Amino acid sequence: MHTRLSRSRTLALCAVPVLALFGVAAFAPLPFTLAQPGTTANVLGDDHGTPVISIKGTPTRTTSGELRMTTIVATGPSADVRIADVVDSWFRTDRAVMPHDSVYPTGGSEKEIEKHNLDDMRKSQNNAVDAALNHLGRPKGSVDVTLNLADVGGPSAGLFFALGVVDKLDGDGSGGDLTGGRTIAGTGTIQANGKVGAVGGVSLKTQAARRDGATVFLVPKAECTEAGTELPKGLRLIPVTTLKDAVSSLRALERGQKVPSC
């Protein structure tokens, strides 16, 4: 025998499994990572009493202004992120919900991920030195460059390491500082040929930059749109695709000339 149910009754019965799913989701961990603005570091300064950039074998300049690399802070690879955390982050400009695999693409244990990130940082530092020396037309064996930045992993500081080396060796190319005395922040990976790559999390990094006094933010051109979504007041975006772009834009900014914008 078939029994006809009213529409309201049918909907009510259908809602039971849906509510049950929401109940499970509220307590089940989700495949996301939560991120927020992290620290920034002036690559022209010191880190725990040691210069971030040390150069031997050639004269260096005394610099003014700051070149601040930026970071994000994310929940750990084994942290449980639940639906309440996700919903809370949706309503905050200083938080972001990111796919777990986009932050930790290599998988593995926390120690394995930390090792991978530190390896990426070392490779990034080597690329940065090569890119800077190539840009300046100096043979790689002519100077000894040591980069030191504790407690930071990953490749996203590459562009700013390269800019720091350029500023310490050549400044703006005509006796002035590459920064023009400003606090410049930004992000971007770099290859030995000077090509700048995207990094992710830029809308959070702009907040960290402005918090720490930056008025200019260099961003990989491919991430201009994301960088502008939560852009803090008083922070100017400058898109870059190569180290040469970045140096040219900072020189133009110092001289009051036209500078690219997102």
Side-chain angles (χ1 to χ4, degrees):
M1 179 177 67
H2 298 282
T3 303
R4 295 189 63 184
L5 299 176
S6 68
R7 179 176 176 79
S8 59
R9 175 67 170 166
T10 302
L11 290 177
L13 289 175
C14 290
V16 171
V18 173
L19 290 173
L21 286 175
F22 275 112
V24 172
F27 297 99
L30 300 173
F32 297 117
T33 296
L34 304 181
Q36 64 187 66
T39 59
T40 71
N42 177 22
V43 301
L44 298 176
D46 294 347
D47 179 55
H48 295 85
T50 301
V52 175
I53 300 175
S54 299
I55 301 176
K56 297 179 181 178
T58 190
T60 59
R61 302 177 61 259
T62 299
T63 60
S64 68
E66 297 182 353
L67 288 170
R68 287 197 165 270
M69 54 79 63
T70 54
T71 68
I72 62 171
V73 177
T75 51
S78 59
D80 287 342
V81 175
R82 303 185 184 280
I83 194 168
D85 303 315
V86 173
V87 172
D88 178 64
S89 297
W90 281 342
F91 293 97
R92 299 181 60 167
T93 60
D94 62 342
R95 297 288 188 276
V97 181
M98 305 173 72
H100 185 276
D101 290 345
S102 72
V103 180
Y104 302 109
T106 60
S109 67
E110 292 198 24
K111 286 188 177 180
E112 289 170 335
I113 291 172
E114 181 180 1
K115 181 180 183 301
H116 176 81
N117 286 340
L118 291 175
D119 288 343
D120 273 353
M121 172 64 91
R122 283 190 285 269
K123 182 178 179 180
S124 174
Q125 291 175 342
N126 292 335
N127 285 345
V129 172
D130 289 347
L133 296 180
N134 288 337
H135 174 78
L136 296 173
R138 297 196 182 209
K140 296 178 184 178
S142 66
V143 295
D144 179 17
V145 181
T146 301
L147 303 179
N148 173 73
L149 192 58
D151 303 324
V152 176
S156 66
L159 171 61
F160 270 66
F161 282 135
L163 288 171
V165 174
V166 170
D167 200 15
K168 282 180 172 287
L169 291 178
D170 194 54
D172 66 356
S174 58
D177 291 296
L178 192 58
T179 64
R182 297 177 174 85
T183 297
I184 310 290
T187 190
T189 65
I190 199 161
Q191 298 178 16
N193 64 6
K195 184 177 180 181
V196 174
V199 293
V202 293
S203 64
L204 298 175
K205 292 180 178 181
T206 59
Q207 295 179 51
R210 190 69 185 107
R211 178 199 65 208
D212 291 353
T215 55
V216 175
F217 192 92
L218 303 184
V219 59
K221 188 174 182 178
E223 296 181 295
C224 264
T225 300
E226 182 185 347
T229 56
E230 300 290 348
L231 187 66
K233 185 177 180 180
L235 189 64
R236 179 178 186 176
L237 292 179
I238 297 180
V240 297
T241 57
T242 65
L243 176 60
K244 182 179 179 180
D245 285 347
V247 171
S248 296
S249 292
L250 291 180
R251 288 175 177 171
L253 184 67
E254 180 192 2
R255 297 166 186 168
Q257 300 171 347
K258 186 176 180 180
V259 178
S261 61
C262 286

